[in-house]
Amino acid sequence: RVSSDGKPPKFQPPPKPVIIDRKTQKEEKRFLSPEFIPPRGRTDPLKYYIERKDMIQRRKVFNIPEFYVGHVLAVTTADPYASDKSKRFVGICIQRGGNGLGATFVLRNVIEDQGVEICYELYSPRIQAIEVLKLEKRLDENLMYLRDALPEYSTFDVNMKPVPRMDHEEIPVNKLQVRMKPKPWSKRWERPKYNIKGIKFELPEHKMKAAQKWSQPWLEFDMLREYDTSKIEQKIRKELSEELEK
Amino acid sequence: SITGACRAIQKLTRVRVVDNSTLGNTPYHRPPKCIHVYNKTGVGKVGDKILLAIKGEKKKALIVGHKMPGPTMTPRFDSNNVVLIEDNGNPVGTRIKTPIPYTLRRREGEFSKVLAIARNFV
């Protein structure tokens, strides 16, 4: 380069390399299935340790993919009464419950105008395959309100092709606001106890205000209800990575 | 409609007839209701026979799905489904479009004719 003075340009040292340790960052962000985290209680942690060992054994044999509530899954189970001894069900995951080996997830679909929900156990030996067809998180962790929503929001094609995953990092959040059937609903979803953000409430203003009467704003400051899982999670992640490497 | 707590089918539950029989599909000012469950307990689950009151007549029917959650891996339907049946077990209708649980196949001997007219299984 030619400088204004005619002298050689002032020496500029190269920028220091910024070392980003991607491995540890990735390990922290990697998904830990919610059933590994033991519930709050006074039981001996040995029980959960033994259960986790069994869960890891099952996971080594059978691949349980990472999925959240709102994903569309296809599950093939073994059934002695089905033709070809196996049956396949496609549906949206509306809730994940249970801890340890009894972890369950509920899939919902509408077939021939009839809403069907099946509760599957993740670690059941009857399950032959779980495929994730559509990766999509929703605004809530519990989509039970889909029972009272219009059926179009729960219909998924049985022969749906798996949607290819774009990014290997983020799972897209679908900010869909669902429209509901006319009241009465199975639960009063407008009440703040359920804290649902994924419904488009078309109720009049005075009803929404009346529902806020049941809000309990002191609950989030209640210290006895706090359950800090960060340290437990770290321990479990360490255990998992050790066991899966064996 | 008024939805109550979800239990399986018992006396006076309103029920949805699922096959294509004329008795089940013609509109009437009162919905079909269960008046008796052929069971030791009065609660009917999938595969139990019940007595329905439809259009002022009594008719037997078979439960093919209810709103109450059952054992894991079995489907739970959004409505109480029922298939009209004669006394000897022959179905009244000729086709069942709505999905039927596979667990009915266990009693192939009694329900073979009903399973034969079913289209979808879940």
Side-chain angles (χ1 to χ4, degrees), chain A residues 77 79 81-83 87 89 104 108 111-121 124 126-127 147 184, chain B residues 1-3 16 18 71-79 81 97-99 102-103 105-107 120-122:
Chain A
T77 33
D79 198 339
Y81 306 112
S83 55
K87 56 178 184 179
F89 185 72
T104 54
R108 179 183 164 84
I111 309 173
E112 299 272 351
D113 300 327
Q114 172 71 60
V116 185
E117 289 174 13
I118 309 189
C119 178
Y120 288 104
E121 281 169 347
S124 166
R126 272 173 67 182
I127 297 187
R147 289 180 192 168
Chain B
S1 64
I2 311 145
T3 33
R16 179 186 162 202
V18 143
T72 49
M73 309 288 208
T74 50
R76 186 207 84 107
F77 297 87
D78 274 1
S79 61
N81 298 339
K97 263 174 93 180
T98 45
Y102 277 108
T103 38
R105 276 252 170 99
R106 191 181 303 155
R107 296 202 257 171
N120 299 333
F121 281 93
V122 165

Side-chain angles (χ1 to χ4, degrees), chain A:
Chain A
R1 275 194 201 162
V2 181
S3 66
S4 48
D5 283 359
K7 292 183 204 163
K10 194 175 171 192
F11 169 69
Q12 254 149 19
K16 243 184 179 176
V18 178
I19 306 167
I20 311 167
D21 202 356
R22 286 193 192 274
K23 247 191 177 177
T24 44
Q25 271 190 4
K26 261 192 178 170
E27 266 176 45
E28 281 161 22
K29 279 185 193 170
R30 217 195 301 166
F31 176 68
L32 180 69
S33 228
E35 68 263 7
F36 279 105
I37 300 166
R40 197 169 70 141
R42 287 173 59 190
T43 38
D44 205 308
L46 179 68
K47 177 210 172 199
Y48 298 119
Y49 176 68
I50 299 171
E51 242 189 336
R52 258 175 276 142
K53 271 186 140 174
D54 283 336
M55 281 150 76
I56 292 165
Q57 275 295 314
R58 173 71 182 157
R59 277 187 184 237
K60 280 188 190 164
V61 174
F62 171 70
N63 171 41
I64 298 175
E66 163 191 350
F67 69 97
Y68 298 87
V69 168
H71 282 208
V72 180
L73 305 176
V75 177
T76 13
T77 33
D79 198 339
Y81 306 112
S83 55
D84 297 337
K85 306 290 177 197
S86 70
K87 56 178 184 179
R88 188 184 141 102
F89 185 72
V90 175
I92 183 171
C93 175
I94 47 177
Q95 108 172 338
R96 283 185 82 161
N99 294 303
L101 287 166
T104 54
F105 62 101
V106 183
L107 290 185
R108 179 183 164 84
N109 200 349
V110 169
I111 309 173
E112 299 272 351
D113 300 327
Q114 172 71 60
V116 185
E117 289 174 13
I118 309 189
C119 178
Y120 288 104
E121 281 169 347
L122 268 181
Y123 295 96
S124 166
R126 272 173 67 182
I127 297 187
Q128 288 163 345
I130 305 180
E131 304 146 24
V132 178
L133 294 177
K134 200 168 181 198
L135 280 149
E136 207 180 53
K137 266 198 201 181
R138 292 285 190 107
L139 290 166
D140 311 298
E141 293 210 340
N142 207 316
L143 298 178
M144 283 293 180
Y145 56 81
L146 286 180
R147 289 180 192 168
D148 298 315
L150 298 172
E152 64 197 25
Y153 295 103
S154 317
T155 30
F156 293 95
D157 186 21
V158 182
N159 304 318
M160 200 161 101
K161 294 279 162 66
V163 170
R165 197 171 176 187
M166 295 294 147
D167 246 351
H168 270 275
E169 295 291 339
E170 293 160 17
I171 299 179
V173 178
N174 189 0
K175 303 199 176 166
L176 176 69
Q177 298 250 300
V178 154
R179 289 186 59 207
M180 307 290 277
K181 290 193 223 169
K183 269 197 155 198
W185 299 330
S186 58
K187 299 251 155 82
R188 295 173 215 241
W189 304 112
E190 73 274 9
R191 294 220 173 151
K193 161 175 154 190
Y194 299 107
N195 194 20
I196 291 181
K197 295 161 198 155
I199 302 184
K200 190 173 187 185
F201 291 110
E202 279 151 7
L203 298 171
E205 271 291 325
H206 67 269
K207 292 223 164 158
M208 297 298 292
K209 273 194 179 170
Q212 292 299 318
K213 229 182 357 172
W214 277 270
S215 69
Q216 295 171 309
W218 56 86
L219 272 186
E220 63 170 311
F221 303 109
D222 195 344
M223 291 181 78
L224 286 181
R225 279 173 204 262
E226 277 173 11
Y227 185 36
D228 189 21
T229 48
S230 47
K231 291 188 184 158
I232 304 171
E233 263 193 50
Q234 270 176 14
K235 267 196 221 168
I236 296 174
R237 270 180 214 273
K238 244 186 169 181
E239 256 186 58
L240 273 186
S241 47
E242 280 166 14
E243 290 281 333
L244 285 171
E245 271 157 36
K246 281 186 196 168

Side-chain angles (χ1 to χ4, degrees), chain B residues 3-47:
Chain B
T3 33
C6 61
R7 304 203 91 234
I9 298 175
Q10 55 187 23
K11 284 193 189 184
L12 294 190
T13 39
R14 283 162 295 180
V15 141
R16 179 186 162 202
V17 173
V18 143
D19 55 19
N20 65 346
S21 52
T22 37
L23 197 58
N25 291 34
T26 39
Y28 192 62
H29 58 266
R30 303 187 68 181
K33 274 192 191 163
C34 168
I35 43 181
H36 189 261
V37 180
Y38 292 104
N39 211 346
K40 285 280 163 72
T41 68
V43 179
K45 308 271 169 145
V46 174

